[in-house]
Amino acid sequence: MNTVSIGGYPQVSWDIYGQNNSTSDTKGQPVVANTTQEQQATVTVTKIVRCDSSLGIPSDDSVCQFVLENVDANQSNLVVTGNNPNITSFQGSANGTNISLDPGNYTISETPFDTMDIENQLGESAIVTILTDSNGDCSSQFNQVDTFQAAKGMIFNGNLQSCEIINTINVDQGASPGEP
């Protein structure tokens, strides 16, 4: 019996076929996977919210301060797909959410918060957009028009990884409420 382990994946054993001393009892028997228990892995998903302002009134800093005081990481819903994740849907968290899953590929997608309320508070000339990216042990996947679709990663037995989903709120021509 020969045993092979590749890149941390489960071991597979098989009989050597084609030997001169093979009997009809051993030829053609199926390959049997090693039944050792796979160890779950953990991805810590952190939601980061940033702000970038241009032409802000009275200043870009005051506009971003207002935005960051009124937009929280938990306003975004995240979804994890992969091999047997313990949580599949959850609210974003600046402190991170630990997701246990079996080894293999995983994907993290999000439904960002609706910008209409914050846009209305910043004035009728304000234009608010959200740019999303990822950082860490995951990589961003974008569509044809460079819109974020998901963060993807691959994890192995017992690994601990981190994946940050970053929303940068861009504000053009916003005015901080309550400012003169």
Side-chain angles (χ1 to χ4, degrees):
M1 199 66 86
N2 287 336
T3 303
V4 174
S5 178
I6 300 173
Y9 286 100
Q11 295 181 344
V12 178
S13 302
W14 70 86
D15 288 328
I16 303 281
Y17 295 104
Q19 294 177 345
N20 291 335
N21 60 357
S22 297
T23 66
S24 61
D25 290 339
T26 61
K27 281 187 174 181
Q29 289 191 3
V31 173
V32 178
N34 188 334
T35 58
T36 58
Q37 183 82 17
E38 288 187 5
Q39 190 178 21
Q40 278 205 312
T42 302
V43 177
T44 301
V45 180
T46 305
K47 179 68 177 178
I48 307 292
V49 179
R50 297 180 178 156
C51 179
D52 186 25
S53 175
S54 62
L55 303 173
I57 299 171
S59 70
D60 292 332
D61 287 342
S62 68
V63 168
C64 278
Q65 181 179 346
F66 175 79
V67 167
L68 294 175
E69 287 173 355
N70 288 281
V71 176
D72 195 60
N74 67 9
Q75 290 175 266
S76 294
N77 294 315
L78 301 168
V79 174
V80 173
T81 56
N83 292 327
N84 196 27
N86 67 326
I87 302 171
T88 57
S89 181
F90 58 99
Q91 289 180 309
S93 169
N95 295 325
T97 302
N98 291 330
I99 308 295
S100 297
L101 67 165
D102 292 337
N105 294 321
Y106 62 88
T107 302
I108 303 166
S109 58
E110 77 164 340
T111 304
F113 72 96
D114 184 1
T115 62
M116 186 59 71
D117 185 47
I118 197 85
E119 195 168 279
N120 288 336
Q121 292 180 56
L122 292 171
E124 61 186 52
S125 64
I127 300 170
V128 178
T129 57
I130 300 174
L131 296 177
T132 303
D133 205 351
S134 66
N135 188 28
D137 297 307
C138 55
S139 59
S140 299
Q141 305 294 308
F142 297 91
N143 66 12
Q144 308 87 319
V145 293
D146 285 336
T147 301
F148 179 84
Q149 298 298 294
K152 295 188 177 192
M154 176 182 265
I155 197 162
F156 299 99
N157 288 343
N159 279 163
L160 176 59
Q161 292 187 356
S162 65
C163 182
E164 294 178 340
I165 306 297
I166 304 162
N167 288 144
T168 302
I169 301 170
N170 290 309
V171 181
D172 289 324
Q173 303 179 19
S176 298
E179 295 289 333

